[in-house]
Amino acid sequence: MPSETETTATYAIELRFDEALNTRILNILRSRDILGPVEPRLTIGVAHAEAQTCSSALSILENVLRRYITIQERFPVGLNGVELNHPVTEPRNFLKLGPVSSLMHILRCHGNFHDALRMEDPGHQLQISQDCMPPDCWEQFAKITLFNSRDQLFKAIRDLCPVFDSEPPLNGFAHQVALVELSPNPRDLSVLPLRERAASDRVVDAQE
């Protein structure tokens, strides 16, 4: 049983994109009067955990993040589709964008996170709840959180579908990973750069 001084915090590990891709997405939203007063950030969620604030969970996540950036490189991502949120299980305040380039890179980055988690916490999330986006329950999509109502979300989907249908994929890189406190005090706790990619990998991507 948690003590009276303990509170439950919700944390997330997020991949973040380069500024050029983020700016292109925001410009599309702004040009269609979708963007609100607070500019959102485009992210891919890697993990989600709830833990008591006085437990060692946050320390575990911070150590996992430091280990993760030693094995995970920047990787290319292309976005070319708007996806619908699940009507029951997903919040209705974010827009889902489907990544299309190199699913292999995205699956590998998620597997690398869980490898780092197992190395850092051999007891398998001993201080962390089991809701940690395991590989068999993980959806690969980028999201933008910016809507206050379902009507705003539907307007964004209606306006953006023709854009993605008529344009080539928006290409960029996942280049940072962030540890974020979602509640009770929303904030970035740590934002770290992913490793630079090997020259041989860049040649392979150029040939694909």
Side-chain angles (χ1 to χ4, degrees):
M1 289 286 294
S3 70
E4 292 182 359
T5 59
E6 288 181 339
T7 58
T8 299
T10 304
Y11 303 105
I13 304 289
E14 298 177 342
L15 290 172
R16 294 184 175 175
F17 300 96
D18 62 280
E19 283 303 316
L21 177 59
N22 205 64
T23 298
R24 289 183 68 189
I25 296 291
L26 294 182
N27 285 342
I28 291 173
L29 295 173
R30 191 179 292 110
S31 69
R32 283 154 180 81
D33 198 27
I34 297 172
L35 199 59
V38 178
E39 289 195 351
R41 181 170 290 275
L42 187 66
T43 64
I44 293 180
V46 176
H48 184 274
E50 290 185 352
Q52 298 302 316
T53 54
C54 66
S55 76
S56 60
L58 181 56
S59 176
I60 291 174
L61 286 172
E62 289 171 336
N63 291 338
V64 169
L65 205 67
R66 285 191 285 268
R67 185 182 292 272
Y68 180 63
I69 63 172
T70 68
I71 58 178
Q72 179 58 53
E73 297 179 337
R74 295 176 56 189
F75 62 90
V77 173
L79 304 172
N80 85 331
V82 179
E83 300 186 14
L84 293 176
N85 296 3
H86 191 285
V88 176
T89 61
E90 293 178 337
R92 294 176 177 174
N93 67 333
F94 67 77
L95 184 69
K96 293 166 61 173
L97 302 178
V100 293
S101 70
S102 195
L103 183 60
M104 174 189 69
H105 285 296
I106 296 176
L107 294 176
R108 184 187 299 154
C109 90
H110 192 246
N112 284 343
F113 170 81
H114 282 274
D115 287 344
L117 182 62
R118 282 190 292 269
M119 287 186 286
E120 194 60 42
D121 181 19
H124 189 58
Q125 305 164 38
L126 185 62
Q127 301 291 334
I128 303 173
S129 74
Q130 296 300 309
D131 181 21
C132 203
M133 296 186 185
D136 59 345
C137 299
W138 184 59
E139 292 187 26
Q140 309 85 32
F141 62 83
K143 73 175 184 178
I144 304 174
T145 304
L146 75 165
F147 304 102
N148 296 320
S149 71
R150 184 170 58 178
D151 289 343
Q152 285 180 305
L153 176 61
F154 287 163
K155 178 183 185 301
I157 293 172
R158 184 179 65 248
D159 290 352
L160 289 178
C161 279
V163 174
F164 283 101
D165 287 344
S166 62
E167 302 230 355
L170 302 178
N171 294 314
F173 281 88
H175 77 139
Q176 291 178 329
V177 62
L179 172 59
V180 180
E181 182 177 333
L182 300 178
S183 68
N185 181 26
R187 57 188 170 136
D188 288 349
L189 298 174
S190 182
V191 181
L192 300 174
L194 299 177
R195 286 176 51 200
E196 288 293 329
R197 304 174 63 237
S200 57
D201 289 339
R202 293 195 292 268
V203 170
V204 170
D205 288 334
Q207 293 173 345
E208 289 181 350

